[in-house]
Amino acid sequence: MSDKNYAMRRSPLAHADWQYVDKRRLDDYRAQDWEVLLRQRKQYYDEQMVDQMLRMLTCQKDDPGYVYTVNNYLHCLQTATRMLRGDCSEEDIVVGLFHDIGFITCNETHGEFAAALLRPYISERNHWMLVRHAVFQQYHFYELEGVDRHERDKWKGHPHFAWTAEFVDKYDQTTINYDEEILPIEAFEPMVRRFFAKQPRRIIYE
């Protein structure tokens, strides 16, 4: 099949007993259609979400690096390994595992990217940390021209300032070493599955 016609077939459904709602616009969906969609979608998300999250990270497994002795995938695993050894909570460890998942594809906003991915499942403490951890990392950039090491100080006094500084100091700016223990992703998969098995919070946008 040529690329031109690639999409001219139905994508297979995840289960043989599922049914298509073969209407061309959401405007045309009616109550019985929404009942099918909601039922199948919940099961689909339950089955697919964790696998897709892990694939987003593991697709970087064999990527080359640019200066550090580990690539971004190994950096994330080393962060999670350090946090596991440091007796952090499961939420904190999973957050550490995914904190730089968008580091290559959206570097300037990668903290916000990770925060958006995890937001329905994490505390405000970790959401705040993810959004700002790149700024806090600047504190460790000695002799880098054009960077304000103390930019983080504008948040001094915030309840989550100390945790963000601790995360960056212990589990981010130091986890770039090939000769330190790095557990495989399989070591974290059970806790990732438990993490996403929680009831997500409903996010309301104003």
Side-chain angles (χ1 to χ4, degrees), residues 83 88-98 118-130 163 167 191-192 194-195 198 201:
M83 298 182 84
C88 293
S89 70
E90 283 204 353
E91 178 185 314
D92 290 349
I93 295 167
V94 173
V95 166
L97 182 67
F98 291 111
L118 302 177
R119 186 177 180 186
Y121 298 90
I122 59 176
S123 62
E124 180 58 31
R125 164 181 170 270
N126 274 319
H127 182 267
W128 198 92
M129 180 275 287
L130 285 170
W163 164 238
F167 172 82
M191 68 178 68
V192 172
R194 287 192 295 270
F195 175 84
K198 298 182 299 184
R201 289 184 296 108

Side-chain angles (χ1 to χ4, degrees), residues 78-166:
Q78 191 169 75
T79 293
T81 300
R82 280 263 193 106
M83 298 182 84
L84 180 64
R85 298 297 184 235
D87 293 324
C88 293
S89 70
E90 283 204 353
E91 178 185 314
D92 290 349
I93 295 167
V94 173
V95 166
L97 182 67
F98 291 111
H99 79 285
D100 273 354
I101 193 169
F103 185 77
I104 308 301
T105 52
C106 55
N107 181 265
E108 296 301 321
T109 55
H110 73 274
E112 296 169 58
F113 181 86
L117 280 175
L118 302 177
R119 186 177 180 186
Y121 298 90
I122 59 176
S123 62
E124 180 58 31
R125 164 181 170 270
N126 274 319
H127 182 267
W128 198 92
M129 180 275 287
L130 285 170
V131 170
R132 294 162 181 81
H133 78 276
V135 174
F136 276 67
Q137 196 175 69
Q138 292 174 191
Y139 180 74
H140 303 276
F141 294 174
Y142 293 89
E143 298 185 8
L144 179 57
E145 188 175 348
V147 171
D148 179 4
R149 288 186 56 238
H150 300 283
E151 186 178 351
R152 71 180 193 172
D153 289 353
K154 63 188 175 184
W155 293 304
K156 270 192 173 177
H158 191 279
H160 307 314
F161 184 97
W163 164 238
T164 306
E166 179 184 358

Side-chain angles (χ1 to χ4, degrees):
M1 183 178 294
S2 70
D3 290 342
K4 181 179 179 181
N5 295 320
Y6 181 77
M8 295 184 68
R9 59 182 176 84
R10 293 185 181 191
S11 297
L13 294 173
H15 293 275
D17 61 342
W18 282 6
Q19 64 185 88
Y20 293 96
V21 177
D22 201 1
K23 294 182 176 177
R24 293 186 176 273
R25 305 186 309 168
L26 292 180
D27 287 334
D28 298 331
Y29 277 47
R30 295 297 178 261
Q32 65 271 22
D33 304 318
W34 289 114
E35 191 277 329
V36 171
L37 181 148
L38 293 172
R39 182 182 68 249
Q40 294 179 183
R41 183 174 69 178
K42 182 182 185 309
Q43 184 179 351
Y44 184 81
Y45 285 178
D46 288 346
E47 294 172 351
Q48 294 287 327
M49 184 178 180
V50 173
D51 290 340
Q52 293 205 22
M53 284 290 295
L54 292 171
R55 283 204 302 271
M56 288 175 67
L57 186 59
T58 55
C59 73
Q60 305 176 38
K61 182 177 181 179
D62 298 318
D63 288 352
Y66 63 95
V67 68
Y68 305 122
T69 60
V70 294
N71 64 14
N72 189 60
Y73 172 76
L74 291 171
H75 163 64
C76 290
L77 286 174
Q78 191 169 75
T79 293
T81 300
R82 280 263 193 106
M83 298 182 84
L84 180 64
R85 298 297 184 235
D87 293 324
C88 293
S89 70
E90 283 204 353
E91 178 185 314
D92 290 349
I93 295 167
V94 173
V95 166
L97 182 67
F98 291 111
H99 79 285
D100 273 354
I101 193 169
F103 185 77
I104 308 301
T105 52
C106 55
N107 181 265
E108 296 301 321
T109 55
H110 73 274
E112 296 169 58
F113 181 86
L117 280 175
L118 302 177
R119 186 177 180 186
Y121 298 90
I122 59 176
S123 62
E124 180 58 31
R125 164 181 170 270
N126 274 319
H127 182 267
W128 198 92
M129 180 275 287
L130 285 170
V131 170
R132 294 162 181 81
H133 78 276
V135 174
F136 276 67
Q137 196 175 69
Q138 292 174 191
Y139 180 74
H140 303 276
F141 294 174
Y142 293 89
E143 298 185 8
L144 179 57
E145 188 175 348
V147 171
D148 179 4
R149 288 186 56 238
H150 300 283
E151 186 178 351
R152 71 180 193 172
D153 289 353
K154 63 188 175 184
W155 293 304
K156 270 192 173 177
H158 191 279
H160 307 314
F161 184 97
W163 164 238
T164 306
E166 179 184 358
F167 172 82
V168 170
D169 181 45
K170 291 183 178 179
Y171 307 119
D172 195 12
Q173 64 102 8
T174 58
T175 49
I176 52 176
N177 310 298
Y178 76 98
D179 56 353
E180 180 181 317
E181 180 184 31
I182 300 177
L183 291 173
I185 199 164
E186 290 79 11
F188 303 102
E189 185 173 341
M191 68 178 68
V192 172
R193 293 194 180 280
R194 287 192 295 270
F195 175 84
F196 284 111
K198 298 182 299 184
Q199 181 66 30
R201 289 184 296 108
R202 184 164 179 252
I203 306 300
I204 299 174
Y205 296 95
E206 298 178 354

